[in-house]
Amino acid sequence: MPDTVRVRFAPSPTGFLHLGGARTALFNWAFARANGGAFILRIEDTDAIRSNVESVRAILEGLEWLGLDWDEGPSKEGKYGPYFQSERRPLYRQHVEKLLKEKKAYPCYCTSEELRERREEYIAAGKNWRYDRRCLHLVDSERERLSRERPFVLRFLIPPGLTSFYDLLRGEVSFGNVELDDFVLVKSDGMPTYNFACVVDDTTMKITHVIRGDDHLSNTPRQVLLYQAFGAEVPQFAHIPMILGKDKTRLSKRHGSPSVTYYRDQGYLPEAMFNYLIRLSWASGEEEKEVFTRHEIIERFSLDQVTLHAAVFDLDKLNWMNGLYIRETDPQRLGELLFSILKQKGKIQPGEEEEMHAYCVRVCDVMRERIRYLAQLIEEEKYYFESNVEYDQAVFEKVMFEDGVRERLEQCRKALGKIDNFSVHKLEEVVRGVAKELGIKAAKLIHPLRVAVSGKKEGPGVFDLLEVLGKERVISRLERAIRILDSRVQA
Ligand code: GLU
């Protein structure tokens, strides 16, 4: 292990932070923290058309949400900045000039049209297309003329031989250089390509370990050749398996949203997402241990325990894990999160902030054992937030159309209407008192009461439910249920 471990996460800001990217960032972060090293965030924004500031913001927000703090990067300037590739062009220029001078790179004037035609000819002749080096062999006068007449790219001259590197997860990996094209280093607009900028940055930022998705495995030999061309030290590599959907296809919307901020906005807890992501392709070796705090991860994380088989994103497992964390979380914090979700969805009216805030805390207090993510309360437990209860017809008929239910609810409405102290204790006393008066078991009253106020057969303790909903909602819902029963009798 080098003296100082330096790793980086290098996203291209062309979209949101997806789960795969977040997991790569997390492995880098954990590796840095476990080894007392530095975690660097570098924004690879050389694709001016596809990169945008909203994506940069979304990526930073996603990382901050997960608690993946970086030691150098945007708004955390360090010795090796700037940390946006678009601001590092002079460095790329210097490096490519060195390669040109040493005849390790050359300009190429072929137009995309010409390249396409030649590629088609190759394919028609049953040959594999690699750039045919037409521009490598130009005489100087021709090169000068073309430089005046055409835009050009700069290509890397791939040397003959075999390129090998050591992957910390796979061991020795080798590629025959004949497989590799004289790839483009600098595009005709002067922008560096990914492989080139990445190596210049990883070298100049003194990166010791490159931990990234195995979709980059085929780029690595090109990058290794560039390190060698610069006479720079090659970092260690670890290519981690991609995250797939349950059907073993690439993760996409079909498997649930791939965006980290989506989960934040649905009321998943960052520590649960952190825990879920770290377990994708990593295990501590302790049997049955699934739940890890950040501290435990920092103590345990090592690349030796990263597995090579593809990680499978399993929304049910994420939900299960988030549920575990929610149960352990202070209702005050949950309530604040729920409040902000409601606010974001436009469900908080001006003036009712304070009251709704306290209400959200109470809802979370009684519901946290029963939910997997906070937005579930808005999606599936609508009776907390909508003025009218949506009655499921089958449930309503089964519970409410029993003889005597109307009378029971009416008595209950009257008794509850008389009290102002809607506390669990008082509510229990009153409701049990009504049952006693009617000469029925409390359950005979509690079931229809629950259905009347929530539309559901199951839920938290009914007295908790009544307390949280409060007098106004409870009474108006009882009145409405009674009206529905009356209209049925008349019909
Ligand atoms: N910008 C590249 C990506 O987002 C970085 C790959 C790397 O880590 O080298 O895939």
Side-chain angles (χ1 to χ4, degrees):
M1 194 74 70
D3 286 353
T4 349
V5 163
R6 289 179 57 82
V7 291
R8 84 309 192 265
F9 175 52
S12 306
T14 54
F16 44 76
L17 176 64
H18 55 84
L19 295 170
R23 201 260 320 236
T24 300
L26 175 51
F27 277 28
N28 276 285
W29 177 91
F31 186 72
R33 296 292 171 260
N35 292 291
F39 173 55
I40 289 119
L41 175 60
R42 178 172 80 226
I43 306 292
E44 300 207 327
D45 59 347
T46 51
D47 184 338
I49 298 172
R50 293 177 61 226
S51 301
N52 57 71
V53 282
E54 293 78 48
S55 298
V56 174
R57 193 166 35 82
I59 291 168
L60 300 189
E61 264 182 36
L63 294 175
E64 276 162 6
W65 180 67
L66 285 169
L68 305 182
D69 54 324
W70 51 96
D71 304 300
E72 295 167 34
S75 63
K76 200 108 191 248
E77 288 310 312
K79 242 168 73 191
Y80 304 100
Y83 296 91
F84 283 82
Q85 284 191 330
S86 56
E87 295 168 19
R88 298 173 65 83
R89 285 175 68 170
L91 215 58
Y92 306 133
R93 190 74 244 157
Q94 272 167 29
H95 279 77
V96 83
E97 267 158 20
K98 185 169 182 304
L99 293 179
L100 284 167
K101 208 184 295 152
E102 293 171 2
K103 304 248 175 293
K104 292 174 180 167
Y106 60 95
C108 167
Y109 306 92
C110 299
T111 63
S112 38
E113 182 67 9
E114 289 165 351
L115 290 171
R116 193 175 51 77
E117 273 171 22
R118 275 162 27 221
R119 186 170 55 237
E120 278 167 11
E121 278 167 26
Y122 265 66
I123 293 168
K127 291 195 275 180
N128 260 349
W129 165 258
R130 306 254 178 275
Y131 178 63
D132 55 6
R133 296 190 164 166
R134 183 168 290 189
C135 292
L136 177 66
H137 306 296
L138 293 173
V139 291
D140 285 351
S141 57
E142 189 68 354
R143 191 169 285 145
E144 275 160 31
R145 182 183 65 77
L146 285 168
S147 289
R148 284 192 303 273
E149 289 173 3
R150 290 185 178 199
F152 58 88
V153 299
L154 298 174
R155 288 186 185 271
F156 182 58
L157 179 61
I158 298 272
L162 192 75
T163 301
S164 305
F165 58 91
Y166 189 79
D167 181 279
L168 290 164
L169 309 182
R170 291 150 226 265
E172 189 86 356
V173 182
S174 300
F175 285 79
N177 294 3
V178 281
E179 300 298 317
L180 311 170
D181 228 342
D182 282 355
F183 62 90
V184 174
L185 301 170
V186 178
K187 293 181 265 185
S188 57
D189 62 2
M191 276 306 203
T193 55
Y194 155 67
N195 277 314
F196 176 56
C198 181
V199 172
V200 172
D201 290 345
D202 285 343
T203 317
T204 52
M205 291 181 174
K206 308 235 181 302
I207 299 301
T208 57
H209 296 76
V210 171
I211 305 169
R212 62 183 167 204
D214 63 9
D215 50 333
H216 283 290
L217 198 54
S218 62
N219 283 317
T220 307
R222 294 179 177 84
Q223 298 188 2
V224 169
L225 285 169
L226 275 173
Y227 286 106
Q228 291 168 350
F230 292 134
E233 201 176 324
V234 182
Q236 308 225 40
F237 292 98
H239 291 90
I240 53 181
M242 303 293 285
I243 305 180
L244 303 179
K246 266 188 177 167
D247 56 1
K248 299 285 161 77
T249 62
R250 230 190 136 111
L251 197 60
S252 75
K253 282 221 167 78
R254 277 179 303 124
H255 308 105
S257 176
S259 143
V260 168
T261 29
Y262 165 83
Y263 293 94
R264 177 195 64 188
D265 297 344
Q266 283 292 94
Y268 285 78
L269 297 174
E271 54 272 39
M273 184 56 103
F274 176 104
N275 194 157
Y276 177 74
L277 288 176
I278 197 88
R279 288 284 293 108
L280 292 178
S281 299
W282 177 86
S284 71
E286 292 146 280
E287 223 175 304
E288 312 250 312
K289 183 160 170 68
E290 284 287 346
V291 178
F292 295 92
T293 61
R294 289 163 71 82
H295 182 70
E296 285 175 323
I297 291 299
I298 295 171
E299 267 178 1
R300 288 168 171 75
F301 189 80
S302 111
L303 290 171
D304 302 344
Q305 297 140 315
V306 174
T307 55
L308 268 188
H309 27 87
V312 171
F313 175 67
D314 179 349
L315 184 59
D316 294 331
K317 186 169 174 196
L318 170 61
N319 282 336
W320 165 78
M321 183 158 280
N322 200 54
L324 286 185
Y325 275 87
I326 282 190
R327 243 165 276 165
E328 298 296 318
T329 300
D330 177 16
Q332 191 68 36
R333 175 172 165 220
L334 296 175
E336 267 154 36
L337 293 173
L338 177 61
F339 178 83
S340 59
I341 298 172
L342 284 164
K343 192 149 185 164
Q344 202 182 26
K345 292 187 189 287
K347 288 186 186 280
I348 308 269
Q349 305 310 321
E352 61 173 31
E353 278 91 353
E354 207 174 309
E355 183 197 329
M356 277 304 280
H357 193 275
Y359 181 61
C360 285
V361 174
R362 286 296 293 124
V363 171
C364 289
D365 190 16
V366 298
M367 293 302 288
R368 72 185 158 148
E369 301 277 337
R370 316 182 75 85
I371 52 166
R372 290 157 290 145
Y373 56 96
L374 294 171
Q376 202 184 345
L377 290 167
I378 306 166
E379 291 160 6
E380 293 171 24
E381 312 289 330
K382 294 197 174 115
Y383 53 91
Y384 282 117
F385 302 102
E386 313 254 309
S387 45
N388 270 336
V389 181
E390 244 175 58
Y391 291 121
D392 175 306
Q393 197 160 348
V395 171
F396 198 86
E397 279 178 20
K398 185 159 186 287
V399 179
M400 308 293 254
F401 288 177
E402 198 182 290
D403 278 349
V405 165
R406 190 206 173 281
E407 176 62 9
R408 284 177 237 165
L409 292 182
E410 178 60 34
Q411 292 305 320
C412 218
R413 184 191 65 79
K414 276 193 196 142
L416 293 177
K418 283 188 203 138
I419 56 166
D420 285 322
N421 170 14
F422 249 54
S423 66
V424 173
H425 182 71
K426 184 73 188 163
L427 287 161
E428 177 157 13
E429 184 191 307
V430 172
V431 171
R432 290 196 189 281
V434 173
K436 203 164 175 200
E437 260 173 46
L438 291 168
I440 54 171
K441 280 198 188 140
K444 286 276 182 199
L445 183 52
I446 285 172
H447 288 319
L449 189 52
R450 178 190 292 287
V451 173
V453 298
S454 73
K456 300 217 169 193
K457 282 197 311 196
E458 279 152 18
V462 77
F463 306 114
D464 285 307
L465 179 65
L466 296 175
E467 185 199 81
V468 173
L469 289 172
K471 184 169 179 178
E472 204 178 307
R473 286 190 193 84
V474 168
I475 299 294
S476 85
R477 287 173 189 188
L478 281 173
E479 284 168 352
R480 178 156 166 260
I482 291 167
R483 278 201 304 280
I484 296 174
L485 289 176
D486 286 344
S487 63
R488 179 173 173 268
V489 172
Q490 279 155 22

